[in-house]
Amino acid sequence: GCGRAAPGADSGPGGGSEPYTVSLFADISGPFAPFVSHGVGGFQTAIAAINDAGGVNGRQIKLNNPIDAQSTPQGAQVAARQAVGQAPVAILVSTASTELASVASVLAGAGTTTLAVPNDDGQAVPPKPYYFSATVSSPVAAKAYANAIEQELGTLSGKNIAIVVNNAATSVAYADGLKKLVEAAGGRVSNYLKNEPTISSFTSQAGQIMQNKPDAMMINDSTTNTAIEVAALHDAGYTGAIFGGTAANDDATLKKTSDEGGDYRGPREWKTPVEGDQVWAAAEKYGHLDSAKAGVYFSKGYMLAYALKAGLEACGTNCDAKALPAAMAKASKVTAPGDLGFGASGFTADNHVLLQALQFFGWDKASGKPAALGQPISMVD
Amino acid sequence: MTASTVETASKAATGPRVKPWHLRMRSSLFLAVTLLAVTAVVTSTQFDYNIFLYNTFLLTCVGALAMNLLMGTTGLVSVGSAGFLAAGAFGGVWFDRMGLPFVACVLGGGLLAAVLGLIVSLPAIRLRGLALGLGTISVHFVVIFVVDQYQQRTPGVGVIGFNLPPLFGTTVQVQHQWAWLLLGVVLLALALVSLLGAGRTGRALRLIRDQEQIASTQAIPVTGYKMMIFAITSFLFGAQGALTGFLVGQVSSEQFTLTLAMQYLAMVMVGGLDSVWGAALGAAIFTALPFAMQHLVSAVLGAQQASLNGAKYGVIAYAVLVIAFIVGAPGGLVRLVSEGARKIQARRK
Amino acid sequence: MNNVLLAIFGGLPLGATYSLIALGMVLIYRTTGTFNLAHGQFMLLAAFVLADWQLKRPGSFVLGLALALIASGVLSAVVYKLILSRTVGQPHWVAFVATLVLGVGLDAAMSLIFDQPSYNISIPAMPHGVVDLFGVKVGWSSLVVGAIGILLSVVFIIVLRFSRLGVQVRAAGQDPVLAAQGGIQVRRVYVGAWVIGGVLAAIAGVLYGSSTIVDGSMSGMALVAVPALVLGGLDSFEGAIIGGLAIGVVQGFITVYLGGEYVNVVTYSILLVLLLALPQGLFGTREVLKV
Amino acid sequence: MSASEAPILEIADLTVTFGGVKAVTGVSSKIKPQELVAVVGPNGAGKSTLLNAISGLVRRQTVGDIRFAGQPLQELSPHRRAVAGIGRSFQNPPLVDRMSVVENVMAGAFGIRDYRVVDQLVRWRKVARSERARELQARTSLDFFGLGGIADTPTSEIAYAQRKLVDIARALMAEPKLLLLDEPTSGLGRSEHAAMADVLRRLMEPGTMTILMVEHHMDLVRDAATRVIGLQAGEVIADGATHDVLDSAEFQASLVGTKR
Amino acid sequence: MADTLLAVADLTVRYRNGALGVQGVSFEVRKGQIVAILGAAGAGKTTTVRGISGFLRSEGARVIQGDVTFRGKNITNQEPHNVSRLGLFAVPERRKIFANLSVQENLEALGKGMVTGDRRAEVEALIFDLFPVLGEVKKKLAGRLSGGQQQMLAIGRALMVDPKLLIIDEMTLGLHPSLHEPLFEAVQRIASTGSAVLLVDESTGNTLEVAQHCVLLKAGQVWAAGPSSDFIGNELLVAGYVGE
Ligand SMILES: Nc1ncnc2c1ncn2[C@@H]1O[C@H](COP(=O)(O)OP(=O)(O)OP(=O)(O)O)[C@@H](O)[C@H]1O
Ligand SMILES: Nc1ncnc2c1ncn2[C@@H]1O[C@H](COP(=O)(O)OP(=O)(O)OP(=O)(O)O)[C@@H](O)[C@H]1O
Ligand SMILES: [Mg+2]
Ligand SMILES: [Mg+2]
């Protein structure tokens, strides 16, 4: 498309001293900002660290100021056009998936390497050579849930699984995927409940769920809803495991659900920096400690920036916007100081997702800290 | 009675705040010419993304003009505009999937919204003020529920929403062409709103706004007029929704939030109620504000802070600005300007 | 049968929360004619203050609670003084829009100040157990919320019924200038109502927050409580309580018989019908329009 | 009976009930063209309510028969009654504060369909012409009431008595056949009553207008009215030529309000 | 003077649009006096009253010049409730009542100055004697009363506070003539107890009869002022009123 007014090729050649220009747009305001805006801190921390360590191929990376996509499709369009117009060698993105989808045509027109925090679920942007992400798509995530539940129960066959989700398209997609897998494995989805964004009671639903005596549960909901749901389920006598969603995996939620007596596990796609480790120190050094503390999106940004470094290295000194996508795809192994993955990180060949494993966490009352439960769940076949 | 029966103690000349037909028309014409000139300048000097930004302003103008007619002139407080936008956008999607051409999709989206508006007007006939506001919130939730169900139940669409085909192909000129197309739409909306807002209808609408109980005794079919206004403004919102879908290329139920509806309320209040200039200025301010705030914050706090918290400061500044207008300049920007001009004139004398 | 009980006992605690929220909004509406859509943000502020206090000083509660109530009360008074006292004479919906925009701004401001992703509140004396009511298990904590709501409204009803304050409050709400001219300390009545409204919001926020996680989404609760408010009648304390409980139970039935995703759409459809059939709600005063 | 003798307004057994209380009770009366009838009576007698019933503002609460020029009104909505030729002013003038005085007056001409909504969108010439004529008419009318000087003033800024007159001027714009006036002189000084009487006479002059007026000021009633209807507690207690009613001792106390 | 209750000096009120509602109006009201303000429509009577009672801000008006002194205190541009606390009660133009309160509640919707105990019973008896209808509709919402009944209620409210200075704008507006006489008598009774009354009324004759002093406004300025007796049947009055 539309974005060809400003092709991204002229940042290329030049001497070894000229920096690589990289653009960045993100949902800095609007409803998604509380989560995804922290990806920006991750990008910035990593790139500052890379530059201080001498850059890539002897060249520095010039990261432009972030452009606000405002958590709206229109905002994202303006932002993406502006980013493309900066003629970068690559574009970094930290928006929610709806915004990303709305700029698909702009990005496709430019063909510039795009490293994005969210995934597009393989729908709006069919896997494209230039597109790389740090978040799994819902079919893959659903598989991870099914694996985790199977790990817990030994088998899915003959088991009752209850599902509770926020009635938002993304969460519903995870739940639909899980339902299919459970049923395919001979299990039964005993309750499949959808919720409004704000609830303040779950007593009735918990009662309904208990009538079917589930063996395990999946809850994919907001933090506040999750807390209410886990408490109500506990009150109603449920004692089994509850596998939570990626939106409710923070420390406070883990603590609260544990206080309420539920066996709740929050999935984390990435480790979060902890005081004393390398990433924490870097975040502190470059002034992004607040983002680092805010959780997993920081980690996604951080890792994607190192993925960019790997791609640029593979691409060589004279790398330009045209050559980068192909080189990027070869970055099947990405390492970063204080690696934040639960397994090896590198882009999968088929859908260019960086992440390869996921870990469920619960609250350890004794230490007052989150603790890993079970093994990391692999997300590659 | 003789001319001197009623004494007037006023010592200063006072101008009419509301003008007769020809003056209203003149100010609308002036707005049309201004928009034309701005479009010409923007399309010939600006880059792709700036033109896109300008295009979103033009789209917002359509809704702001509709809101101005609905709330400013007729006094119907509606928080349902996001619902109407959604109805239009999804109508556009629906007709597009039926294989209809672009123009039919936009008109169809508008008509669908207009039908919805007619339905909404049924409660509006009995409700006023706050109750109407709350009633339209209900309508919002119902519409969003329906389009969300449509989205969720359409195979292969779920998460992301619907894609719409690019209108002018993939040439470089695409945003330019959009700008002229949208200008045409805005001018049509402007003509509609100002012609209805002036003259016989305009006076009737204002009587309904301020003295609803007695408007009928002045031969005004209050019910019919409210229905007409709801239908017309909903049509405008619907057409805007469909156009936005085509411009952006994507429609998803999540885009149509209550906050968006509020924006239109705040927009006409900041710009100035019952004035087409107010609507246009409001639309301009609300389109530019997020960007201006971003720049302001990064100038004041540095790029680092701006990237992290800039938007939050921006939102705070936005809230402060809107509230300052509501509190300090009840007539909005338009009144502020006209009173300023009047003062300067008075001083010259 | 079991489903009916589930719906009722599931809905009542929910309704108790609505009631508590509605109570504060009714007080402010009745006194100053402002439909305060920033009420959820007042709740949130109190919850944040207390939660932050508990995070930094685990185990201490009373002082934090006092701070939370004060914070919300003061914010409420400031909002009234700086903003709403200046929209007097403009149509009702001007204040309505002002509080909406205010809410958006407050959300942003609070997310700057309270920058953890989420917080916890634990109320020491809050019973954690479960009561078995005819086979349905209901948490004690929601019963406590309901009891507090009912208690507070009884207090309001008594105070306003049996003193001239009730009439003064309503007079000030209808026509501040005329009321002032009759010697009513309109300003004091207004600020008082806003402060008490803020404190009520704080109580609601703390109680609700203790049953869940405290994060920015709490401010959406006020909007969810609107149908309860309208059902009860915008200006009636009895109405706030009964409307809240009724809507809670209705939502209990919706979740049990239709599913959770239908809650909003059905509730708001009911609201629409209600506005048409009974605009003054169950207990509200009908506005007089006469030529 | 000749055509002109046929009543223009015929009220038969009209009763208006508000929540069980009858504000107007079994009122019957015939008003002939070109009459200027004054309705007098104590406060709360039902005078304004009677006007409301005729103009259709209290339709639901009303039983009985009202005919205007032979046409039954009961089924007609207020705006159709206005179109049929019933105009009115109000006890407390309901004007649009945010419009200029002249525009308020012009708003009264809505019932005259010199152009329609669709014309407004396409036939601009015609609209402009009509608008100019309408504005001229409104200004002339304001001059007639001595309000020419405030024609362009925002209506929020004029004094109460001026509002009353503007309200009447607005009612006249539609050139009604039957004009209902609710206390046209309240708020006007006594010396202005004579001027009002003069206005009323001049309105009657062309011989096309019938006026039904609620009034407390007996000097004006005496001066202008051809007939008086006395209302008390919702019932007609007197109906006859002005002087007969005003001078009859039995109605003095209750209706006219002079010495008890 | 010692018994001066209200002194208005050089009062100039400007409306938001810049119009001067009144300009340089001066007069005094003494204890026990009834003072009438006369003038044609739009002459500035209501504006003068507003300037005194503080009922300005909601009309977008301000006293820009001059002083209003009540019982020795400067009350220029004061808030209405402060003015009211000093014992000044104004019945504004156009039947200002609380439409959504009942008649009884309207009579109680007053601040500290409201009469209590035995005095209250007395005052209520007086009100319901003066306006018997009000006694019959105590529970009715005031907004549903007839025009005249609302005016009665507005005046009734004023009596509930035993004001030191009672200002009534357009007292007999919409009231049936049979009520005029008792009302003017009541006003005289109030003045005779040592309070004072500032009266604006359309029925000039009655007003001049009860008033001791009279201020005639024309086009926002004092056209003439003096003892009422000077005005009765005076040419000047006619000139000022009708305007030549
Ligand atoms: N709110 C306002 N804004 C601007 N001008 C006003 C306002 N109210 C009154 N005026 C002007 O002030 C002048 C005096 O008006 P005022 O109401 O005091 O007259 P009045 O003597 O009380 O007349 P009336 O007998 O009609 O009540 C008039 O010219 C009027 O137009
Ligand atoms: N909408 C209403 N609801 C209830 N009662 C009403 C309503 N309208 C009028 N009334 C009552 O009906 C009676 C007649 O009122 P109406 O206004 O017709 O009196 P009126 O003769 O015009 O008196 P006034 O001279 O005081 O204006 C009054 O007792 C009044 O309280
Ligand atoms: Mg009347
Ligand atoms: Mg006056």
Side-chain angles (χ1 to χ4, degrees), chain B:
Chain B
M1 230 172 254
T2 57
S4 53
T5 308
V6 179
E7 290 289 337
T8 296
S10 313
K11 294 292 177 288
T14 66
R17 226 170 267 155
V18 170
K19 310 152 202 152
W21 192 82
H22 61 278
L23 287 182
R24 279 176 188 287
M25 285 300 123
R26 202 178 292 167
S27 106
S28 295
L29 200 65
F30 182 40
L31 177 59
V33 171
T34 310
L35 285 173
L36 195 76
V38 173
T39 307
V41 171
V42 168
T43 49
S44 58
T45 62
Q46 294 297 307
F47 301 111
D48 184 49
Y49 62 86
N50 277 347
I51 303 179
F52 178 81
L53 186 59
Y54 179 71
N55 286 342
T56 62
F57 155 72
L58 287 176
L59 280 168
T60 310
C61 261
V62 177
L65 283 166
M67 201 67 193
N68 175 58
L69 182 62
L70 186 66
M71 187 163 111
T73 311
T74 321
L76 299 167
V77 182
S78 162
V79 198
S81 38
F84 295 126
L85 285 168
F90 276 83
V93 165
W94 196 39
F95 294 120
D96 180 62
R97 287 165 75 91
M98 281 163 37
L100 297 185
F102 169 76
V103 175
C105 292
V106 172
L107 290 179
L111 284 176
L112 197 69
V115 170
L116 181 68
L118 273 180
I119 296 169
V120 173
S121 73
L122 297 178
I125 289 161
R126 296 197 49 193
L127 304 178
R128 53 178 68 78
L130 190 61
L132 179 57
L134 295 175
T136 51
I137 290 186
S138 311
V139 172
H140 170 88
F141 280 107
V142 174
V143 174
I144 299 306
F145 179 81
V146 171
V147 298
D148 193 57
Q149 288 294 313
Y150 174 51
Q151 182 171 331
Q152 281 192 24
R153 284 169 195 206
T154 308
V157 169
V159 180
I160 290 314
F162 296 87
N163 288 312
L164 286 169
L167 174 59
F168 296 115
T170 51
T171 63
V172 175
Q173 290 299 315
V174 120
Q175 291 302 321
H176 288 72
Q177 295 178 7
W178 266 106
W180 289 108
L181 171 71
L182 292 176
L183 176 72
V185 174
V186 171
L187 292 184
L188 282 178
L190 175 63
L192 190 67
V193 167
S194 31
L195 288 167
L196 286 176
R200 184 168 163 267
T201 331
R203 290 188 291 270
L205 296 178
R206 289 180 186 89
L207 204 59
I208 292 174
R209 176 189 68 195
D210 285 3
Q211 303 289 354
E212 188 178 331
Q213 302 103 277
I214 66 106
S216 58
T217 64
Q218 307 299 315
I220 299 163
V222 176
T223 305
Y225 263 54
K226 279 186 170 181
M227 290 176 77
M228 174 180 84
I229 291 303
F230 255 108
I232 290 172
T233 55
S234 312
F235 176 83
L236 289 176
F237 268 117
Q240 182 198 341
L243 284 165
T244 309
F246 278 98
L247 174 71
V248 171
Q250 189 235 4
V251 173
S252 162
S253 60
E254 287 173 25
Q255 297 162 10
F256 304 97
T257 58
L258 215 46
T259 324
L260 180 65
M262 300 304 163
Q263 293 252 340
Y264 282 91
L265 273 173
M267 208 179 290
V268 287
M269 287 174 75
V270 167
L273 285 170
D274 199 4
S275 148
V276 288
W277 271 94
L281 289 175
I285 290 176
F286 276 71
T287 311
L289 208 60
F291 301 95
M293 286 305 167
Q294 193 77 30
H295 284 291
L296 185 72
V297 172
S298 80
V300 175
L301 298 172
Q304 185 100 89
Q305 264 295 310
S307 69
L308 197 61
N309 288 325
K312 290 176 191 165
Y313 289 111
V315 170
I316 295 171
Y318 151 87
V320 170
L321 179 86
V322 173
I323 290 173
F325 260 101
I326 291 177
V327 170
L333 209 55
V334 165
R335 167 104 74 88
L336 218 55
V337 169
S338 73
E339 271 180 11
R342 208 197 280 179
K343 265 187 200 140
I344 290 169
Q345 246 176 13
R347 210 165 291 161
R348 278 223 194 105
K349 282 178 192 167

Side-chain angles (χ1 to χ4, degrees), chain C residues 290, chain D residues 43-44 46-49 91 182-183 214 216, chain E residues 95 146-148 174:
Chain C
K290 181 175 176 286
Chain D
N43 294 119
K47 305 180 295 295
S48 299
T49 305
Q91 192 164 354
D182 201 344
E183 304 196 16
V214 172
H216 283 310
Chain E
R95 308 195 307 257
S146 84

Side-chain angles (χ1 to χ4, degrees), chain B residues 7-10, chain D residues 156-162 187, chain E residues 15-17 19-22 39-48 50 59 93 169-170:
Chain B
E7 290 289 337
T8 296
S10 313
Chain D
S156 59
E157 298 171 2
I158 65 174
Y160 182 73
Q162 296 168 333
Chain E
Y15 283 101
R16 189 167 27 218
N17 60 0
L20 297 178
V22 289
K45 306 180 293 289
T46 298
T47 309
T48 307
R50 285 180 184 153
E59 300 285 335
E93 186 179 70
D169 195 356
E170 306 285 12

Side-chain angles (χ1 to χ4, degrees), chain D residues 41 43 157 161 187 216-217 255 259, chain E residues 17 41 173-174 176-177 181 202:
Chain D
N43 294 119
E157 298 171 2
H216 283 310
H217 294 114
L255 291 181
K259 303 278 180 268
Chain E
N17 60 0
L173 186 73
H176 189 253
E181 230 176 71
E202 59 186 32

Side-chain angles (χ1 to χ4, degrees), chain A residues 167 193-208 211 222-228 231 234-237 250-257 259-260 290 293-295, chain C residues 2-3 6-7 9-11 13-14 17-18 115 117-121 128 130 136-139 208-213 215 217 220-221 224 252 255-256 259-265:
Chain A
N167 189 26
L193 304 180
K194 295 177 185 173
N195 270 329
E196 297 286 357
T198 319
I199 61 169
S200 67
S201 164
F202 196 67
T203 308
S204 319
Q205 295 95 317
Q208 278 184 308
Q211 288 172 351
S222 68
T223 50
T224 49
N225 286 2
T226 300
I228 291 172
H234 179 257
D235 288 351
D250 58 311
D251 290 5
T253 305
L254 296 182
K255 176 173 188 306
K256 181 78 192 179
T257 47
D259 286 351
E260 298 287 352
D290 286 343
K293 282 194 234 167
Chain C
N2 204 357
N3 270 349
L6 269 180
F9 290 116
L14 175 65
T17 313
Y18 291 158
D115 54 3
S118 52
Y119 293 79
N120 272 316
I121 290 178
H128 265 285
V130 179
V136 179
K137 295 182 173 110
V138 181
Y208 177 60
S210 76
S211 73
T212 174
I213 288 281
D215 69 10
S217 65
M221 276 302 287
V224 181
T255 39
V256 169
E261 72 264 44
Y262 292 93
V263 167
N264 268 348
V265 72

Side-chain angles (χ1 to χ4, degrees), chain A residues 112-168:
Chain A
T112 312
T113 304
T114 303
L115 295 141
V117 161
N119 196 291
D120 49 56
D121 260 13
Q123 288 166 5
V125 189
K128 292 269 169 62
Y130 57 87
Y131 183 76
F132 301 87
S133 163
T135 300
V136 289
S137 60
S138 49
V140 178
K143 208 179 291 173
Y145 278 106
N147 287 343
I149 295 172
E150 195 168 11
Q151 209 178 72
E152 171 79 18
L153 301 178
T155 174
L156 285 173
S157 167
K159 299 292 183 185
N160 280 340
I161 313 294
I163 299 178
V164 176
V165 290
N166 196 338
N167 189 26

